Every structure is written in structure tokens, then in C-alpha cells.
């Protein structure tokens, strides 16, 4: 029995197999299995067996039965060639391989570059090939009126046989043949870095063109030939050029007659200029495009005579006038040179900065750059930059599809959006059977192609000569190579950032941290494998450095030997961190505390867990160990055990327990969270989430422990109250108010702010009543005046007229 061929087919593919399973072959040995058995036999001994899985897919197994024959006897058989509908095949190739119409220009320019490269290479041994034909260049001329694009190169050109071989045969690559010949003849040298090796790039022109005319002249032939083809046709025409005005000295001229719905876009000269700058900016040969320009010229015109003056024709005065005129001329489109191809030792910083500004349309110089070449299993060149400022839009900060890393293969732009291209490629595989890649390989690609999100601010170019691309040059095919590239790019990026941090001038890293500090903190959350490189880059304010930030290395170096942990507190602002009651005892003991004042800080630190074998400890949580606490005496415990129980009884389920605090020195109390729950800061952040789950708040909210300071006067008064008058209403109200105040000072949000305000007003009225000597009579008059005012307003307002007095006192100065 021959090896079996098996695979999973969709419904449409299975439907195509059913006629074979039900067709009766002329051979006597062919039989049809009964219905429901899932087994059928076709002609020539093919046995199909179908097994339906739980899903909609059907697994089909084909066993080719070969009869055993005596040794030396061969099986007789007929050989047939595959038949294909050329127009349908062309449509599949063009519209399935390419996701964007605009790539046609990249493909045609790449082919022109290959033709120039071939001519230059062959001209080394045969200088006559370069004798007539001018400079090696590419010219692109769009014609909006005619709806055409003409691409001309002065390359090697093609003969009639080469036209039939390269353009007349689908997926036949002249470049691939040329490279094969080079490798076979070792004396000629190695790979010359040619671009196209698949033989289908030329047909991408049918994405936008309804007709293509190729006129070509090879220096090996005296004749010039024209190749013509129309879209959706299965034939083409080759004829000899006889028009003297269309004769070429050497090279190829491709004229695209654009479709009616594409000519307005792609016949625009500015659009063509932009596509060349985007895809082919770094091609090694000059590319000229036909552009409209303007210039100022001086023209002479007759000066009009003044009123009352008559001038003869010979005596008319001439005056000069400056006007702006428009004209068309060739413009160099790829003036920026690929700086990564040069030796880094020969490049000045100003050249790196200019390249960065032109390539990424920036106006500020970058903070740093790195230029490196990687050799070995994967060879590529790269230049990476740290921008001078953060993106202005918040959407660009964490956008996974930022187009900051531009991938080139042999100086031709391939992509800056791997995710988008991958989605297109997956959809293409669903609807096409041209490519055969396993789905698990595609899922691996989806995970590793993208540059890490927390380094998405880094900009740069990556160029390789041997990346394994698919036919459309838009998808990388080997996940292992991409993984290696990604790892090395990340490593070089860290080296570049560390150089900024180690500079003597700290202003550069201060600018970097203000702009991109959030990205580094995000890396602590997302990239556990690089914690050792990310943690030294972090910067925080601290209790000893409130005005400036410090690194974790500086914190550890200043720690006393007895300190075993790195202490931090997470709040919503620097001022809140400075005045938090959790700091009191640590400040007294001269222990430095880090201030985490940004929302992402606490999550980043929790993901780090340790730094140089020192654990991170949140001072707002229970079981805080400072290392040198003295054990409390039994008398003190017994003295305050009654108070703790009484306070717990008053507060009920609001707190898990009440205990004596080890972290307070001046505040009467504080509310700390449990060891395994959310802190007050995290609880505040989770409540503010737009899509947060309110049901998880109660589950994740840590238990609250009410800690009291036994040395504070308020606590001493409450201790006396619980012993002498435990049922006092004022004492119970004081405990409630103390708890509400501890909620706010500890960073929590009170459940009823209005109720808390009422309690404060009530306590203020009790405390301030009669303090400044206000008498009872004043209080009575005030109440009476308020009552009379209310009665007057209820009865209505009556206007009283007062007559002037006729009796004048003696002191009146106006008295007679």
C-alpha cells in the first residue's frame, strides 16, 4: 500500500470530491461503498475514507492501492499535464497576493532596479553593454489627461525570447535565473543583491491597469520589441517596434493604461511622488518623477501712457514685470541615501539627525541613536532612534500599530504594519489554496512579529538581504528568524537607553523619563524576561528626594544594613504621599520611602516583586515590619485590649479588627488594608475604570484594619470613656467620626460624604458654642429678628412714609 494522503478540507473542497466518490469507473475492480459507511473507491484504485469531526470540517483520507508486481516490471501509466484557465489563475495571483493596490509601483520599480543591477554587473566583463544608453536611472511619468503611467529604465532590456520567457510565463523569474547562473559560475562572484525572485511582481500592475504595453531593447539585439496584454485575457501580443519616435537606446519602458476608477488617484504626479518616497526611497539608482514646478521670471510689457500724453508706436516705453509661471520637469524622488549601509565611523551625528528628521517627518533632534550590523544566523542592518519628545496624541502612546519601525529588504520598503498584513494573509489563506502554511505557525507569527508595545516609541529602520518573505513580500514566513531579530533589536534598544542614563549630563535622561517613563513602567508589567534591564531605568520621588527622582540603585546604596526591604507608598499625588500618616514612624527612623504617584506605578512595582534580593513592601498594608520594634509589655496590651474590643464593637463589620499601631507617631489612628487585597490607591483606580466590573470590587477589596496610636490624647480619652462610661453617646459618635476621618487620611473614599459633613458640623457646633463670649440675650434677639423677618415676608411688605420733622434742634446749622 502506498503512503496515504490526508488533510482537512472545508465544505467547498469536500463538495468537489463527492462526484469522484459516487462515479462508477469502467474498471471491474472499482466498487462503490454503501451509503453511510464513509468509504468509497474511485478509479485507478483510489480509496477515499471520510471522517466527520465535531466541527464542520471533514477529514478525508486517500489510500492509493498499488498491486505488487514482479521485480523489474514497471507499472504502466499515462502522464498528463495540469490544465488551468489562465485568466482565472491571473486573477487569483493578482488579487490574492497583494493587499494594497499601491504596491504595483514598488514591484515595477524593483524590477527596473534589478534590470539596472544586471546591466551594471554584466558591464564589468563586457563594457560595450554600457556604451550607449546614458546614465543608469529610472524615470516615472504620469499623465493625468491620458490616464497613463510610463516607467522607463536604462537597464539590460529583453530580447523576444526573454519576453516570452519572463512575461509570457507566469511565475517565471528572470532574476531568479540570473542568480542561479551566478551561483553556478563561482568565478563571476556571489549574489548581487537583486530584489525580485518570484516572477509575479510584474503582474501586480493589473491591480490598477486594464492594459499594459512593454517596449524593450536589449543591447544584445538590434531590434526593439513590444509586448501587449489586456487584463482578464488569456493571451498577449509581441511585435517588433517600427516607429522611429518610440525607439529606445537601451532598457525597458512600461506603459500602464489605468482603469477608470484608479486613474484619478494613481495618475496624480504628487501621489506617484509619495509612493516612490515611501516604498523606493532607498533604491540605489536615481528615480526621477515628472512634476509640475513654478518659477519667477521677468517679462517686458508696454508701459501705458499717462493721461494727456500720446506716444507713437516706436516711442512706447518698456517696463519689466515679475510673474510666476508653471512648467513641468523631472525631479529626483529618492535623494535621501540609506545611511544604514555606510560605516558608522564615517557618519557624523548631524547626518544621523538629518536622516531621522527626513525619514520620520520630525522637527526635533533625537535624544539618542544606535547604528549596528548583525551577522551570523540572521544578517541585517539597523538604525534606531529615541525621539526628542513623546507623541502629542494619547492614542499614539500605546497604539500597537504604530508605524515607527520600518522594514526594508534590499533597501525596498516592505511594511510598517505587520499586524494588519497578517490579518489580510490569514483571510487570504481561508479563501485560497495557493499557500500551505500551518495555522500554529501563523499564530506564532502573530505573537512575535510586532515590536514590544512598551518600546513602540522607538523609531528606526531594519534592512536585511535574506529575510524569508512570501511572494507578495508583505509577510515574513519563518518565526524563528523573526524572533531572533526581535530579540536583538530589543537588546540594542536597551543599550541605547542605558547610554542616556549613564551620561554625566542628567538632563537628557530627565527629558527621556518625562516623555517615556510610562513606557518603561509598562515594560515591567508586560515583559517579565527583561526585568533586570528595565528595573535600573525606573525613577521615583522619595521621602528624602522630593524635588528630584532617584533610581532603585541609589535607594539600595543609601539603605542601612539593618533594612531588609524597599518601602513604598502609592497615592494620587506627591502632596498626598508627603502628608500620609503611614510615613510617621519611618521618617522618625530615617527610613527612605518611595512615592508612587502615577496610576501605573503600583502595578509595575508589584510585577517586579524584588530588586537585588530586596522585597518591595507597601507601608499602607498590615504586618509592617520595620526591623527593630520593641516588644510591648503585657500591661500595655492588657490596658488597650479593652479599648480595641470596644472600638471594634462600635464599628462592627466596617473593619476586620482593631489593633495597636507600630507606624504612627502623631496621628491618632489610621486604616490599613489587608496583606492580600487591594490597597486604598488600587481600590480608587479600579472604581474609576470605565469598563470595570463592580461585582469584583467586593471580592478584591482587602480587609480593613483600624490601627490606633496609644500615645495620642484622643485615644487616651476614648480609653477612659470605654472604662468609665462605655454607653456614652458622645464617645460612640467620636469613634464614628474618628473612623470616617481615618478613611480620608488613609486614601479611601467615604461611603456617604454628606453624612460625614453633617457629623463634622455637629462636632464643630458643640466645640465652638459660646467660646467667644456670645451672650444669651444676643442669641434671643437674633432668633427674634429672624422670626419677625419670616413673619413679615409671609404677610407681605407695607411701605411706610415718614414725614420730615418741623422741630429743628439748636445744633442744626441751617436753623434761622
Amino acid at each position: 500500500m502506498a503512503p496515504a494522503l490526508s488533510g482537512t478540507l472545508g465544505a467547498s473542497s469536500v463538495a468537489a470530491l463527492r462526484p469522484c466518490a459516487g462515479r462508477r469507473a469502467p474498471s471491474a475492480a472499482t466498487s462503490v461503498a454503501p451509503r453511510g459507511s464513509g468509504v468509497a473507491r474511485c478509479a485507478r484504485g483510489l480509496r477515499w475514507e471520510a471522517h466527520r469531526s465535531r466541527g464542520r470540517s471533514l477529514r478525508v483520507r486517500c489510500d492509493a492501492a498499488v498491486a505488487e508486481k514482479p521485480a523489474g516490471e514497471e507499472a504502466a501509466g499515462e502522464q498528463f499535464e495540469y490544465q488551468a484557465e489562465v485568466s482565472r489563475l491571473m486573477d487569483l495571483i493578482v488579487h490574492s497576493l497583494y493587499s494594497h493596490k499601491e504596491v504595483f509601483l514598488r514591484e515595477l520599480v524593483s524590477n527596473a532596479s534589478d534590470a539596472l543591477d544586471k546591466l551594471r554587473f554584466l558591464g564589468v566583463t563586457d563594457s560595450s553593454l554600457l556604451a550607449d544608453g546614458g546614465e543608469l536611472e529610472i524615470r516615472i511619468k504620469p499623465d493625468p489627461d491620458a490616464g497613463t503611467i510610463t516607467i522607463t529604465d536604462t537597464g539590460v532590456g529583453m530580447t523576444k525570447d526573454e519576453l516570452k520567457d519572463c512575461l509570457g510565463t507566469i511565475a517565471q523569474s528572470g532574476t531568479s535565473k540570473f542568480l542561479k547562473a551566478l551561483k553556478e559560475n563561482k568565478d563571476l562572484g556571489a549574489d548581487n543583491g537583486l530584489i525580485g525572485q518570484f516572477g509575479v511582481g510584474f503582474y501586480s500592475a493589473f491591480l490598477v491597469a486594464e492594459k499594459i504595453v512593454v517596449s524593450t531593447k536589449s543591447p544584445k539585439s538590434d531590434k526593439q520589441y513590444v509586448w501587449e496584454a489586456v487584463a482578464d485575457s488569456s493571451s498577449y501580443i509581441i511585435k517588433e517596434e517600427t516607429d522611429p519616435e518610440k525607439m529606445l537606446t537601451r532598457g525597458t519602458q512600461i506603459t500602464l493604461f489605468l482603469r477608470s476608477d484608479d486613474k484619478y488617484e494613481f495618475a496624480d504626479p504628487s501621489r506617484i511622488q509619495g509612493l516612490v518616497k515611501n516604498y523606493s526611497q532607498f533604491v540605489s539608482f536615481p528615480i526621477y518623477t515628472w512634476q509640475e514646478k513654478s518659477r519667477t521670471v521677468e517679462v517686458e510689457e508696454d508701459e501705458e501712457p499717462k493721461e494727456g500724453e500720446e506716444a507713437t508706436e516706436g516711442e512706447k516705453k518698456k517696463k519689466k514685470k515679475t510673474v510666476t509661471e508653471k512648467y513641468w520637469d523631472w525631479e529626483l524622488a529618492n535623494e535621501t541615501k540609506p545611511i544604514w549601509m555606510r560605516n558608522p565611523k564615517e557618519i557624523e551625528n548631524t547626518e544621523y539627525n538629518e536622516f531621522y528628521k527626513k525619514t520620520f517627518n520630525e522637527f526635533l533632534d533625537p535624544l539618542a541613536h544606535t547604528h549596528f550590523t548583525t551577522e551570523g544566523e540572521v544578517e541585517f542592518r539597523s538604525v534606531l532612534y529615541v525621539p526628542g519628545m513623546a507623541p502629542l496624541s494619547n492614542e499614539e502612546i500605546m497604539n500597537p500599530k504604530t508605524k515607527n519601525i520600518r522594514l526594508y529588504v534590499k533597501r525596498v520598503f516592505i511594511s510598517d504594519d505587520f499586524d494588519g498584513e497578517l490579518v489580510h494573509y490569514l483571510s487570504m489563506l481561508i479563501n485560497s489554496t495557493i499557500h500551505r502554511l500551518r495555522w500554529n505557525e501563523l499564530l506564532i507569527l502573530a505573537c512575535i512579529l510586532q515590536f514590544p508595545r512598551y518600546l513602540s516609541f522607538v523609531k528606526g529602520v531594519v534592512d536585511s538581504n535574506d529575510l524569508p518573505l512570501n511572494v507578495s513580500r508583505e509577510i515574513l514566513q519563518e518565526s524563528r528568524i523573526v524572533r531572533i531579530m526581535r530579540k536583538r533589536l530589543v537588546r540594542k534598544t536597551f543599550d541605547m537607553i542605558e547610554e542616556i542614563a549613564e551620561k554625566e549630563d542628567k538632563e537628557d535622561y530627565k527629558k527621556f523619563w518625562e516623555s517615556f517613563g510610562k513606557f518603561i513602567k509598562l515594560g515591567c508589567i508586560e515583559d517579565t524576561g527583561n526585568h533586570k534591564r528595565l528595573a535600573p531605568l525606573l525613577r521615583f520621588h522619595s521621602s528624602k528626594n522630593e524635588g528630584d527622582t532617584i533610581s532603585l540603585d541609589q535607594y539600595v546604596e543609601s539603605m542601612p544594613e539593618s533594612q531588609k526591604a524597599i518601602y513604598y507608598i502609592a497615592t494620587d499625588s506627591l502632596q498626598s504621599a508627603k502628608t500620609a500618616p503611614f510615613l510617621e514612624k519611618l521618617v522618625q527612623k530615617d527610613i527612605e520611602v518611595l512615592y508612587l504617584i502615577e496610576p501605573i506605578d503600583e502595578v509595575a512595582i508589584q510585577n517586579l516583586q524584588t530588586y537585588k534580593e530586596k522585597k518591595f513592601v507597601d507601608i499602607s498594608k498590615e504586618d509592617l515590619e520595620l526591623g527593630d520594634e520593641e516588644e510591648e509589655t503585657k500591661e500595655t496590651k492588657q490596658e488597650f485590649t479593652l479599648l480595641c474590643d470596644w472600638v471594634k464593637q462600635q464599628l462592627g463589620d466596617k473593619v476586620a479588627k482593631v489593633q495597636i499601631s507600630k507606624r504612627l507617631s502623631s496621628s491618632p489612628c489610621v486604616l490599613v488594608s489587608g496583606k492580600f487585597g487591594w490597597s486604598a490607591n488600587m481600590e480608587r483606580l479600579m472604581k474609576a475604570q470605565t469598563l470595570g466590573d463592580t461585582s469584583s470590587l467586593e471580592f478584591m477589596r482587602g480587609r480593613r484594619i483600624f490601627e490606633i496610636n496609644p500615645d495620642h490624647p484622643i485615644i487616651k480619652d476614648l480609653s477612659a470613656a470605654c472604662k468609665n462610661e462605655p454607653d456614652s453617646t458622645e464617645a460612640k459618635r467620636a469613634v464614628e467620626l474618628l473612623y470616617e476621618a481615618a478613611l480620608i487620611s488613609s486614601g479611601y473614599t467615604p461611603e456617604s460624604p454628606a453624612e460625614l459633613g453633617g457629623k463634622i458640623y455637629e462636632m464643630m457646633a458643640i466645640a465652638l458654642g459660646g467660646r467667644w463670649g456670645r451672650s444669651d440675650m444676643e442669641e434671643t434677639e437674633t432668633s427674634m429678628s429672624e422670626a419677625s423677618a419670616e413673619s413679615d415676608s409671609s404677610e407681605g411688605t407695607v411701605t411706610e412714609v415718614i414725614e420730615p420733622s418741623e422741630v429743628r434742634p439748636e445744633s442744626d446749622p441751617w436753623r434761622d
Side-chain angles (χ1 to χ4, degrees), residues 623-683:
D623 296 338
L624 177 65
E625 299 293 338
L626 300 179
D628 57 349
E629 297 92 352
E630 296 180 0
E631 295 184 359
E632 298 177 355
T633 61
K634 294 182 179 181
E635 291 80 6
T636 305
K637 289 183 178 180
Q638 292 177 357
E639 178 183 357
F640 289 97
T641 299
L642 180 61
L643 175 61
C644 293
D645 294 341
W646 181 72
V647 173
K648 175 65 174 74
Q649 183 180 1
Q650 305 307 316
L651 297 179
D653 295 335
K654 294 180 180 179
V655 296
K657 64 178 179 179
V658 181
Q659 64 185 22
I660 304 300
S661 178
K662 301 176 182 179
R663 68 190 87 205
L664 297 177
S665 61
S666 58
S667 299
C669 59
V670 72
L671 202 62
V672 302
S673 57
K675 182 182 294 185
F676 302 106
W678 284 339
S679 64
N681 181 67
M682 186 59 65
E683 185 175 327

Side-chain angles (χ1 to χ4, degrees), residues 217 294 390 406 553 625 716 803:
K217 171 70 167 60
S294 60
R406 300 171 60 86
D553 287 328
E625 299 293 338
K716 291 181 179 180
E803 297 293 339

Side-chain angles (χ1 to χ4, degrees), residues 246-360:
K246 297 181 180 180
M247 287 296 177
L248 302 174
T249 307
R250 181 191 66 229
T252 302
Q253 184 179 81
I254 302 175
T255 303
L256 308 181
F257 294 85
L258 301 176
R259 302 176 187 268
S260 58
D261 55 345
D262 291 321
K263 65 181 180 180
Y264 297 104
E265 177 183 0
F266 294 107
D268 183 13
S270 59
R271 174 67 167 152
I272 295 297
Q273 181 90 343
L275 292 178
V276 172
K277 286 184 177 294
N278 186 43
Y279 287 103
S280 307
Q281 184 178 13
F282 302 109
V283 170
S284 56
F285 299 98
I287 303 174
Y288 296 94
T289 59
W290 190 248
Q291 298 293 322
E292 185 181 22
K293 300 181 179 182
S294 60
R295 60 190 173 189
T296 57
V297 295
E298 289 186 352
V299 296
E300 291 184 352
E301 63 179 7
D302 296 334
E303 185 177 358
E304 295 181 359
K306 297 180 181 180
E307 294 182 1
E309 294 183 0
E310 293 183 0
T312 60
E313 294 183 359
E315 297 179 353
K316 287 183 178 180
K317 296 182 180 179
K318 301 287 186 179
K319 70 174 183 178
K320 290 185 179 181
K321 182 180 178 180
T322 302
V323 296
T324 301
E325 67 174 10
K326 294 183 179 180
Y327 68 101
W328 291 85
D329 197 3
W330 295 105
E331 181 177 329
L332 183 63
N334 59 337
E335 57 184 352
T336 305
K337 301 303 179 184
I339 198 172
W340 64 84
M341 302 298 294
R342 297 166 55 188
N343 188 345
K345 297 180 180 179
E346 301 174 355
I347 307 174
E348 301 291 338
N349 284 335
T350 55
E351 295 182 73
Y352 283 115
N353 295 344
E354 288 300 320
F355 175 81
Y356 168 76
K357 292 178 181 179
K358 288 183 179 180
T359 305
F360 298 102

Side-chain angles (χ1 to χ4, degrees), residues 739-808:
Y739 169 76
E740 298 285 351
L743 269 177
I744 298 176
S745 63
S746 302
Y748 293 98
T749 303
E751 297 179 359
S752 177
E755 185 179 350
L756 173 60
K759 293 178 182 179
I760 295 175
Y761 298 151
E762 188 178 354
M763 296 294 290
M764 289 177 64
I766 297 173
L768 299 180
R771 178 178 291 275
W772 292 284
R774 187 173 60 167
S775 62
D776 295 339
M777 183 61 70
E778 292 176 348
E779 294 178 0
T780 304
E781 291 177 356
T782 303
S783 60
M784 289 178 64
S785 62
E786 292 177 354
S788 62
E790 293 178 359
S791 62
D792 292 342
S793 62
S794 62
E795 295 177 359
T797 304
V798 180
T799 304
E800 182 180 358
V801 180
I802 302 176
E803 297 293 339
S805 175
E806 295 295 335
V807 181
R808 298 183 179 181

